[in-house]
Each structure stands twice: as structure tokens, then as C-alpha cells.
């Protein structure tokens, strides 16, 4: 197994390099970089008259080279690429062009929102979907199975941002009721509240965005749980256990449960981390939640290359590590898996 882990770690290097290289190359051909944006803002600030136009042209000539030097664009692309890799090897993600902050600092500032959305979406989804999937498997073909499948798939079919707009119109001061807030994770007077009141205020702000994120995530986990349990229920060892006179509950939880949960347990790390870093940009925008999803989107739109590349490097590295952990969990949950035989 140690050889397998070392092999997977070595394979992370070309994967990281590939993702960074493709993104870096694409950026070289994208028009309207940070220098161009700053120059456009400067020209707009000069006014629309003839004198302002001339001043803008003078600004182009006198400061263009200084701006390129400031942002490192005076160097050839291959030199900037090597310098970027050297910085990332030291876990130095660089400094934002437009916000004048370290990329690490920006990520830390956005983490509370992403952790709040991701953690609660993950917990609520699994705590409801797994028992629901088991219940559907045991009652396969019944009216309960049909009705719950309809509502689960209906929730999956409705885009999260469409549901968000509907909830805002209905419950957040749109047209009908003004029951929920529309901005931030907490109220302005949060520091003055008692701890029970703080928790209530926190979940009050999260109620609508969590509803949008959770409803869409029910279907995958629920149907995966149901189909896995149905497949196990039909296997020979379950028939033998029932023939021995074991009760339905004992067969379900002692024999079926462990084997059926292998795909879910091994998928926990990916789902858990993915819930943090794959938040919906539209949901964050709708409810004014400044998280990592919105940071990545705005960085791409505004050509803030250090944030784009730094966050890509960090998220790709985390995804690769989590994938390795997920594979290793197969061996923990199912001892029949032997990594030593891989490649033989």
C-alpha cells in the first residue's frame, strides 16, 4: 500500500502542472488584462473632452510600462510561468492585483461563508438522504417510493438560483412576506446578542440559501443510497440470511448496511470538501454572501490572475489529496481491496 500511496503522490505533480499550465496559457490569449483595465479606468476618469483624451493618451505613454513592471508583465511569459511555479512550490499564492491583498488572506476572509454553506449543506443532505434512501429501498415499488422519488427529482430539476428568486419573492421582502434577511451571515448587532440569540440569528440568515443548496443535493445521495441497498438486498447472502430465520432489521443493519454504505462512506471526503469549495456563485450573489465561489468568479471576470491561479492551485491540490483519501477508505471499509496488486 505504501508503494501505491507514493505512486499516487508522484502522479499529483503532473496533474497540478497540467491544470496550471493550461490555465496560464489560456490567460495569455484573453484580452483585457489588469493593466488594460486600469488604463481604461484612468482614461474614463480624465473626462470626455479633448483635453481629457490627450491626458489619457499621455497617461498611456508615461505609465503603461510602469504598470507592466508593477504587475510583472514586462517579463516574458515563460519567465513568469517559472516564477509562478517556484512561488507555488513554497505555497506562496501571490498578491491580488486589484484588491492589493495576499491571496491567502482573501481566501481566509471568504472561508467563513463557504464553511457555513458547505458544512450545513453536507450534514443536512446526508442526514436526510441516507435514511430516506434506505426507506425507499426497503419499500421499493410502493406508493411511498414513487411519491418520494417524484419530489426528490422535482427538487433536483429546479435550478438553485430559480428557487432562490422564488424564496426571496415569497419570504424575504419581495412581494409577500418579509421574514428572512438578504445580506450576510449575521445581523449588524450580532456582537451584542447572547449566545442563544447569536445562533438563532446565524441560522436565520442561512435558512434560505441552505434551502436552495440542500434541495438540489438530495437526489444524488438519496438515489445512490436506494440503488446500492436494492442491489445488496437482491444478493445471495441476503437470501441465505433470511432463510436462517434472521429478522428483517438484523439482516438490514448487520449484513446489508455495511456493504451498501461502501460507496457512500468512500465518497464522504470528496462530498465534504466539495461542499466547501463548490458553492453556487448565483446563490452567494442572490443572498449577498461573499464566499469563495463569488471570489473565484469575480477574479476571472476582472482578470485578477494571482487569485485565479492561486485558488486553482490550492483547490486542485486539495481535490487530489481528497481523492487519494477516498481511495484509501475503500481498503478500510472493505478489506478485500488490496492496492499491492495494482498494476500487476
Amino acid at each position: 500500500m505504501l508503494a501505491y500511496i507514493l505512486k499516487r503522490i508522484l502522479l499529483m505533480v503532473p496533474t497540478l502542472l497540467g491544470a496550471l499550465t493550461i490555465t496560464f496559457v489560456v490567460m495569455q490569449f484573453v484580452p483585457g488584462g489588469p493593466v488594460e483595465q486600469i488604463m481604461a479606468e484612468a482614461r474614463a476618469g480624465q473626462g470626455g473632452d479633448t483635453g481629457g483624451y490627450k491626458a489619457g493618451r499621455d497617461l498611456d505613454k508615461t505609465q503603461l510600462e510602469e504598470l507592466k513592471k508593477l504587475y510583472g508583465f514586462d517579463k516574458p511569459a515563460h519567465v513568469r510561468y517559472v516564477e509562478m511555479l517556484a512561488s507555488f512550490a513554497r505555497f506562496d499564492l501571490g498578491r491580488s492585483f486589484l484588491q492589493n491583498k495576499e491571496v491567502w488572506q482573501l481566501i481566509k476572509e471568504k472561508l467563513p461563508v463557504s464553511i457555513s454553506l458547505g458544512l450545513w449543506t453536507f450534514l443536512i443532505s446526508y442526514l436526510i438522504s441516507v435514511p430516506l434512501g434506505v426507506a425507499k429501498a426497503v419499500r421499493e415499488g410502493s406508493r411511498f417510493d414513487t411519491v418520494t422519488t417524484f419530489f426528490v427529482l422535482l427538487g433536483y430539476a429546479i435550478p438553485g438560483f430559480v428557487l432562490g428568486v422564488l424564496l426571496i419573492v415569497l419570504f424575504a421582502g419581495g412581494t409577500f412576506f418579509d421574514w428572512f434577511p438578504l445580506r450576510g451571515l449575521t445581523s449588524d448587532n450580532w456582537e451584542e446578542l447572547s449566545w442563544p440569540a447569536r445562533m438563532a440569528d446565524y441560522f436565520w440568515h442561512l435558512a434560505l440559501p441552505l434551502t436552495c443548496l440542500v434541495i438540489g443535493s438530495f437526489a444524488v445521495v438519496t438515489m445512490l443510497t436506494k440503488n446500492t441497498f436494492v442491489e445488496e438486498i437482491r444478493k445471495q447472502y441476503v437470501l441465505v440470511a433470511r432463510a436462517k430465520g434472521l429478522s428483517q432489521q438484523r439482516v438490514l443493519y448487520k449484513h446489508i448496511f455495511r456493504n451498501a454504505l461502501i460507496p457512500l462512506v468512500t465518497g464522504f471526503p470528496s462530498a465534504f470538501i466539495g461542499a466547501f469549495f463548490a458553492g453556487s456563485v448565483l446563490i452567494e450573489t442572490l443572498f449577498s454572501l461573499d464566499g469563495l465561489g463569488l471570489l473565484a468568479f469575480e477574479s476571472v471576470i476582472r482578470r485578477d490572475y494571482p487569485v485565479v491561479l492561486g485558488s486553482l492551485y490550492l483547490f486542485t491540490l486539495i481535490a487530489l489529496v481528497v481523492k487519494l483519501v477516498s481511495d484509501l477508505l475503500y481498503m478500510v471499509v472493505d478489506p478485500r481491496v488490496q492496492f499491492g496488486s495494482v498494476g500487476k
Side-chain angles (χ1 to χ4, degrees):
M1 186 178 69
L2 180 60
Y4 173 81
I5 295 175
L6 292 176
K7 185 188 297 185
R8 287 292 301 272
I9 292 175
L10 290 176
L11 287 174
M12 291 180 185
V13 177
T15 306
L16 271 175
L17 286 176
L20 291 173
T21 301
I22 292 174
T23 306
F24 183 87
V25 170
V26 170
M27 284 181 173
Q28 307 312 305
F29 298 98
V30 175
V35 173
E36 288 78 5
Q37 290 194 15
I38 292 176
M39 298 303 297
E41 293 175 1
R43 284 194 296 269
Q46 297 293 338
D49 54 72
T50 304
Y53 176 72
K54 290 181 179 179
R57 290 174 57 188
D58 294 338
L59 181 65
D60 289 348
K61 297 176 181 178
T62 57
Q63 295 191 359
L64 181 59
E65 294 302 323
E66 294 182 8
L67 286 172
K68 286 184 176 180
K69 184 177 181 180
L70 176 64
Y71 293 123
F73 291 106
D74 58 323
K75 302 175 183 178
H78 68 277
V79 175
R80 289 186 280 117
Y81 175 73
V82 172
E83 290 180 349
M84 177 193 72
L85 294 182
S87 298
F88 286 172
R90 303 189 304 269
F91 288 94
D92 179 7
L93 302 185
R95 192 175 187 86
S96 170
F97 287 158
L98 301 177
Q99 302 191 47
N100 196 28
K101 292 181 179 180
E102 297 292 333
V103 176
W104 276 114
Q105 182 181 350
L106 286 174
I107 292 175
K108 291 177 182 178
E109 290 176 357
K110 313 302 180 183
L111 269 179
V113 171
S114 296
I115 289 177
S116 295
L117 293 176
L119 178 63
W120 292 114
T121 299
F122 173 83
L123 290 177
I124 295 173
S125 298
Y126 270 81
L127 288 176
I128 296 178
S129 298
V130 173
L132 178 60
V134 174
K136 287 171 63 62
V138 174
R139 300 172 177 84
E140 184 188 17
S142 66
R143 180 177 296 179
F144 171 81
D145 183 29
T146 303
V147 172
T148 53
T149 298
F150 171 77
F151 283 107
V152 166
L153 295 180
L154 178 64
Y156 182 73
I158 300 175
F161 69 93
V162 174
L163 179 61
V165 172
L166 178 63
L167 292 177
I168 289 173
V169 171
L170 292 176
F171 304 114
T175 304
F176 296 92
F177 305 102
D178 189 8
W179 292 348
F180 297 94
L182 272 178
R183 184 175 298 276
L185 288 178
T186 57
S187 301
D188 294 335
N189 64 336
W190 190 80
E191 295 290 343
E192 303 172 2
L193 302 176
S194 62
W195 276 109
R198 288 183 181 183
M199 295 301 297
D201 180 77
Y202 171 72
F203 285 108
W204 181 47
H205 283 75
L206 280 179
L208 296 187
L210 277 182
T211 301
C212 299
L213 292 172
V214 166
I215 286 180
S217 63
F218 276 156
V220 176
V221 180
T222 300
M223 300 311 294
L224 175 62
T225 304
K226 176 197 169 182
N227 293 337
T228 306
F229 269 80
V230 168
E231 182 180 353
E232 292 295 324
I233 288 173
R234 294 172 178 171
K235 288 185 177 179
Q236 188 68 31
Y237 75 90
V238 177
L239 298 177
V240 173
R242 287 174 174 170
K244 290 181 178 180
L246 297 180
S247 65
Q248 174 73 8
Q249 295 296 320
R250 187 168 184 180
V251 172
L252 178 64
Y253 292 106
K254 184 177 180 180
H255 296 276
I256 299 175
F257 204 76
R258 180 178 179 180
N259 292 329
L261 284 184
I262 289 177
L264 294 174
V265 172
T266 53
F268 275 176
S270 298
F272 187 69
I273 299 298
F276 293 155
F277 299 110
S280 173
V281 175
L282 293 173
I283 297 300
E284 292 181 7
T285 304
L286 274 176
F287 295 97
S288 299
L289 299 172
D290 193 9
L292 291 173
L294 191 58
L295 172 66
F297 175 75
E298 291 180 345
S299 300
V300 172
I301 296 300
R302 302 177 66 186
R303 309 293 193 270
D304 198 349
Y305 297 151
V307 178
V308 174
L309 291 167
S311 57
L312 173 69
Y313 168 74
L314 179 63
F315 299 160
T316 304
L317 183 61
I318 291 175
L320 291 172
V321 173
V322 168
K323 180 60 178 175
L324 175 60
V325 173
S326 298
D327 291 344
L328 294 178
L329 277 177
Y330 271 105
M331 191 187 67
V332 176
V333 177
D334 189 354
R336 295 171 296 178
V337 176
Q338 295 295 327
F339 292 123
S341 60
V342 174
K344 293 184 179 180

